[in-house]
Amino acid sequence: MSEWAFIALLFVISAMLPMVPIVGGRLLGPHKPNEQKNSTYECGVETVGDTWVQFKVQYYIFALVFLVFDIEVVFLYPWAVAYNQLPLFGVVAGIVFIVTLAEALLYAWQKGALEWL
Amino acid sequence: MTITPETVAFAIMSVLVLGGGLGVVSSRNLIHAALYLALTLFGVAGLFVLLEAPFLAAVQVLVYLGAIAVLVTITIMVTRRLMGITENVNRQWPVAALIAVLAAAILGFVVISQFAGVYPTQAVPPDTIERMGQSFASHQGFLLPFEVASVLLLAAMIGAIVVARD
Amino acid sequence: MADVLASLADIYTTIGNLLTRLFVDVLGASPELASGIIKFLGAGLLATSVLLILVFNIWFERKVMARIQDRIGPNRVGPWGIFQTVADLAKLFTKEIIIPDGADLVPFMIAPVISVMSVVLIWAVVPFAPTLIGTDLNIGALYFVAVSSLGVVSILLAGWSSNNKYALLGAFRGVAMLVSYEVPFVLALLVPVILSGSMRMGDIVRAQSIPFLVVMPVAALIFWIASVAEVGRQPFDVIEGESEIVSGYHIEYSGFAFAMFYAAEWAHGFTVCALMTVLFLGGWRGPGAEQIPTLGIVYFLGKTFLVYFFQVWTRAILPRMRIDHILSFSWKFLVPLSLVLLVLSVLADKLGQLYIPGYAVAGSFVDLLPRTALLLVVNLIVGGLAALWVAGLGRRERRRQEAALSVASIEGRAAQQAR
């Protein structure tokens, strides 16, 4: 528990450290809003219509595939920590796990989920 | 009750979790709701640390904050127009609030009556992660659930791709 | 005399003891409060030095890139231009922080702060010397991956709250790239954990009698590529896309808010070099580092700057990759490669542990030689096969394109003759 005290302190300090200059900059720096400066940047022309991004399913699919692999890796970490004490059977169990997930990757690949069009 | 640093930390984390939860259900802007969700998940990670389960805390941040919160936020952002969109408030919120308070009261009563005065007597052993790893690979441990989890993830991947491709 | 030398040899413990005695004896604080204050001072020192070493790094990078590009680089502000970064940051401080129309104020201001936090928090588990580490968490390796995944959230926040299509597009592309490279990053990170049997960074460094770069070079390469992509440096800097989408998700930021993003990105670049050093190059290990802990930080910084030099070098010579190439490279090459590497190395290592006499998994340089040799051979075989396959792909692609080209030219000539 005391290990995490350092992390809590570093968290607070690293949150304060950027906030102080930003707040200081807003208080001390020039603050002259005018219509041109505050308008949204679009390479020099005026924006037309609402800000709206066309739905591309690729963004969603990449995040989804990443989620599955993230959870897989989370299971692999305790296995990796105990690796040196495991018998060969334990190592094979881990390999079966990895192979099943390689199969998931292969499925995603074949179905074209990993394209960016 | 003595005020130790752990008590202060517990108070802060509880405020994050509860405040974030309230923010999710009561915020008018969907993106703000997603951000409050991220705050709640972060508070839960802090609670895991206080329960001496740092591995779970790291997993919580990595999976929930780094993947699930991102997924939820991306989904909201690509299916809504930006800015200034407030959702309609559900008209039946007084009834819902009443039911929620009743459920919380019942659960709280059950938990407090069963667990009041019960404190952990054993110290947490220092090598929990190694034991977890060894149990993943032993018959007496969690070998079958470990392998079933991989099949479950395979099924999740297939399902997600089938649904997303439609 | 010998006493003074002994205390100088382990200067970190000496300073810690002096401060504790100062707080407990002179100021009458309790030991817990004293250790709390020392931790606070240490955290402050760590956070400030991470952001200050940035000043030197940016100058170093600009000079090295300039020399590679056959020009001089900054040389006006101070001798050899070493105060250039200070001047730049001072300028950014005085610029107005413009808040665009319709921007969501709280996420807009919080995004740079989260970005900086996600980098500084990583340094809490980096071992500078045998007795100098922020906190030796028992989940050190997983901790810094979790913390760097917070950076992804900050990019989404920045892109969204700017109320700008291009910022949002840039943010999505950035998130897709970061998320795709997190998988090989974490898979390659499994390798030091397996080899040392622990997630503590201190243990990982202590287990490197032979640096893991030599034991599993392909894993080190995968980690290196994935970490350069995680930071968003060339050749993976589509997040910034200076000539494409004009600064991506931080288009609408100016003044010190932009400086914070800028600082966070550079600091992250240096941080992954430090992580590479700790995980694969042996961290603070070097001749005499165990007996004289003070030397540890010298070796650590030396190795980190060497790795940083390589990062700047690749930045200067490689062109930017296209976003779909970047994503295919990660999912279709790096992830399968790291999975295959993991399976084969683990199998070979376990069989070696069981059937080769004298095969040790921990110990001194000589003890670890059989394991190093076996894993190095497996790595070279896997790496060699992967390289051959990629070369074969390139050859087949070129042949296909030449065939298409020659068909087109024959048809073209036939059409011309027919006319």
Side-chain angles (χ1 to χ4, degrees):
Chain A
M1 276 308 303
S2 60
E3 308 174 319
W4 291 87
F6 184 84
I7 303 230
L9 286 171
L10 191 60
F11 189 90
V12 169
I13 290 180
S14 65
M16 291 292 126
L17 216 51
M19 279 213 263
V20 165
I22 291 183
V23 169
R26 292 218 43 204
L27 292 175
L28 302 173
H31 192 60
K32 305 182 180 56
N34 71 41
E35 203 189 292
Q36 294 303 315
K37 274 203 289 188
N38 281 2
S39 61
T40 316
Y41 181 70
E42 197 164 333
C43 295
V45 298
E46 296 297 317
T47 41
V48 175
D50 282 321
T51 324
W52 159 275
V53 175
Q54 184 64 38
F55 175 61
K56 280 191 7 177
V57 74
Q58 277 79 22
Y59 298 124
Y60 180 73
I61 290 185
F62 274 107
L64 213 63
V65 177
F66 164 64
L67 180 59
V68 171
F69 273 89
D70 217 13
I71 302 180
E72 166 201 1
V73 166
V74 156
F75 274 105
L76 281 178
Y77 267 87
W79 173 80
V81 170
Y83 168 78
N84 281 327
Q85 279 78 27
L86 290 178
L88 184 61
F89 177 75
V91 171
V92 170
I95 291 180
V96 169
F97 186 85
I98 294 179
V99 165
T100 316
L101 278 132
E103 204 181 312
L105 178 69
L106 204 60
Y107 177 83
W109 190 338
Q110 292 300 325
K111 285 290 170 180
L114 302 175
E115 302 297 322
W116 177 272
L117 286 164
Chain B
M1 193 177 76
T2 50
I3 305 284
T4 63
E6 277 92 9
T7 321
V8 173
F10 177 71
I12 295 177
M13 293 302 160
S14 315
V15 165
L16 279 183
V17 172
L18 294 173
L22 270 175
V24 173
V25 297
S26 65
S27 149
R28 296 295 193 90
N29 185 336
L30 262 188
I31 287 293
H32 287 169
L35 293 180
Y36 280 121
L37 180 69
L39 200 61
T40 309
L41 297 171
F42 186 74
V44 173
L47 286 176
F48 277 133
V49 169
L50 286 171
L51 288 171
E52 307 215 23
F55 179 70
L56 279 179
V59 166
Q60 173 86 6
V61 173
L62 183 60
V63 172
Y64 266 101
L65 278 181
I68 295 182
V70 165
L71 194 62
V72 165
T73 317
I74 287 182
T75 316
I76 293 177
M77 285 175 185
V78 297
T79 55
R80 301 275 159 168
R81 279 182 305 171
L82 296 183
M83 293 312 148
I85 300 300
T86 57
E87 305 299 315
N88 293 321
V89 179
N90 190 346
R91 286 306 195 82
Q92 297 161 323
W93 70 266
V95 180
L98 185 63
I99 296 179
V101 167
L102 269 174
I106 295 176
L107 270 174
F109 178 71
V110 168
V111 168
I112 292 178
S113 64
Q114 288 300 315
F115 291 107
V118 173
Y119 290 99
T121 48
Q122 281 179 324
V124 177
D127 59 346
T128 44
I129 301 177
E130 204 167 310
R131 291 193 191 195
M132 212 192 312
Q134 280 179 318
S135 75
F136 278 164
S138 78
H139 286 298
Q140 300 82 12
F142 295 95
L143 177 62
L144 188 60
F146 181 59
E147 303 297 344
V148 168
S150 77
V151 176
L152 183 66
L153 286 169
L154 173 63
M157 175 87 91
I158 295 177
I161 290 176
V162 165
V163 166
R165 285 269 120 183
D166 286 339
Chain C
M1 189 58 207
D3 222 19
V4 173
L5 274 183
S7 56
L8 271 185
D10 195 358
I11 200 169
Y12 314 114
T13 324
T14 317
I15 295 181
N17 289 339
L18 277 175
L19 282 175
T20 319
R21 259 192 296 148
L22 171 70
F23 288 125
V24 174
D25 297 335
V26 174
L27 296 178
S30 68
E32 292 89 31
L33 188 59
S35 93
I37 297 180
I38 293 180
K39 284 191 179 147
F40 183 77
L41 290 176
L45 185 64
L46 187 62
T48 345
S49 41
V50 167
L51 295 176
L52 281 184
I53 207 170
L54 194 60
V55 170
F56 176 70
N57 277 345
I58 297 182
W59 170 82
F60 179 76
E61 166 150 359
R62 287 170 77 163
K63 275 297 202 183
V64 170
M65 267 184 68
R67 288 292 173 175
I68 293 179
Q69 293 168 353
D70 201 20
R71 54 187 173 90
I72 303 182
N75 66 345
R76 296 241 175 252
V77 189
W80 299 299
I82 53 179
F83 295 128
Q84 179 71 43
T85 321
V86 178
D88 284 339
L89 288 174
K91 175 206 72 167
L92 277 173
F93 190 67
T94 60
K95 297 281 183 190
E96 176 185 348
I97 299 183
I98 302 175
I99 306 194
D101 278 338
D104 214 348
L105 192 60
V106 171
F108 190 78
M109 284 290 137
I110 284 191
V113 175
I114 297 185
S115 211
V116 170
M117 267 170 49
S118 78
V119 172
V120 174
L121 278 177
I122 298 181
W123 285 90
V125 290
V126 171
F128 294 99
T131 48
L132 184 63
I133 187 176
T135 168
D136 206 0
L137 285 182
N138 64 339
I139 50 152
L142 207 54
Y143 164 82
F144 76 74
V145 178
V147 164
S148 48
S149 73
L150 284 180
V152 178
V153 173
S154 88
I155 292 185
L156 270 183
L157 278 184
W160 171 267
S161 55
S162 307
N163 194 24
N164 185 330
K165 299 197 234 319
Y166 298 103
L168 195 59
L169 269 174
F172 281 157
R173 287 190 348 174
V175 165
M177 187 181 89
L178 286 188
V179 138
S180 304
Y181 277 90
E182 194 138 338
V183 179
F185 187 74
V186 195
L187 282 176
L189 183 58
L190 267 181
V191 167
V193 174
I194 289 179
L195 289 177
S196 61
S198 155
M199 287 200 272
R200 271 181 211 268
M201 301 292 256
D203 286 350
I204 293 181
V205 172
R206 268 181 279 267
Q208 291 190 50
S209 316
I210 304 185
F212 290 155
L213 179 68
V214 175
V215 181
M216 305 249 316
V218 176
L221 187 64
I222 295 175
F223 183 81
W224 172 238
I225 297 178
S227 61
V228 168
E230 279 282 310
V231 178
R233 308 272 271 162
Q234 272 99 335
F236 300 108
D237 69 339
V238 268
I239 302 186
E240 279 194 340
E242 276 150 22
S243 45
E244 291 175 16
I245 50 176
V246 197
S247 253
Y249 64 93
H250 38 74
I251 292 178
E252 298 283 359
Y253 281 87
S254 54
F256 217 74
F258 173 71
M260 281 293 115
F261 269 122
Y262 192 69
E265 181 183 327
W266 244 271
H268 203 184
F270 188 66
T271 309
V272 298
C273 295
L275 289 174
M276 177 88 182
T277 314
V278 168
L279 293 168
F280 287 101
L281 289 178
W284 46 255
R285 291 186 82 102
E290 272 110 36
Q291 292 85 16
I292 312 179
T294 317
L295 276 185
I297 200 172
V298 172
Y299 293 131
F300 174 79
L301 284 178
K303 289 181 199 173
T304 309
F305 270 101
L306 186 67
V307 177
Y308 188 64
F309 175 72
F310 276 110
Q311 193 181 74
V312 174
W313 193 353
T314 53
R315 179 186 184 192
I317 60 178
L318 290 177
R320 182 179 303 148
M321 287 170 70
R322 237 169 55 186
I323 182 77
D324 56 336
H325 288 166
I326 292 180
L327 296 175
S328 317
F329 181 62
S330 165
W331 287 111
K332 300 184 182 173
F333 183 67
L334 284 185
V335 172
L337 179 65
S338 52
L339 288 175
V340 166
L341 184 70
L342 207 60
V343 167
L344 289 178
S345 326
V346 160
L347 206 54
D349 189 51
K350 204 39 125 178
L351 290 174
Q353 275 179 22
L354 293 175
Y355 298 121
I356 298 182
Y359 191 97
V361 296
S364 71
F365 185 88
V366 179
D367 294 334
L368 287 178
L369 275 178
R371 185 184 219 197
T372 311
L374 180 63
L375 287 177
L376 188 60
V377 164
V378 170
N379 261 245
L380 289 177
I381 293 177
V382 170
L385 288 175
L388 282 176
W389 180 69
V390 168
L393 264 186
R395 227 174 290 133
R396 281 194 290 276
E397 180 75 18
R398 203 182 325 132
R399 226 172 284 144
R400 192 181 62 83
Q401 282 187 353
E402 278 170 6
L405 216 60
S406 60
V407 165
S409 65
I410 289 176
E411 283 178 347
R413 240 178 282 134
Q416 261 193 339
Q417 282 175 348
R419 248 183 256 139

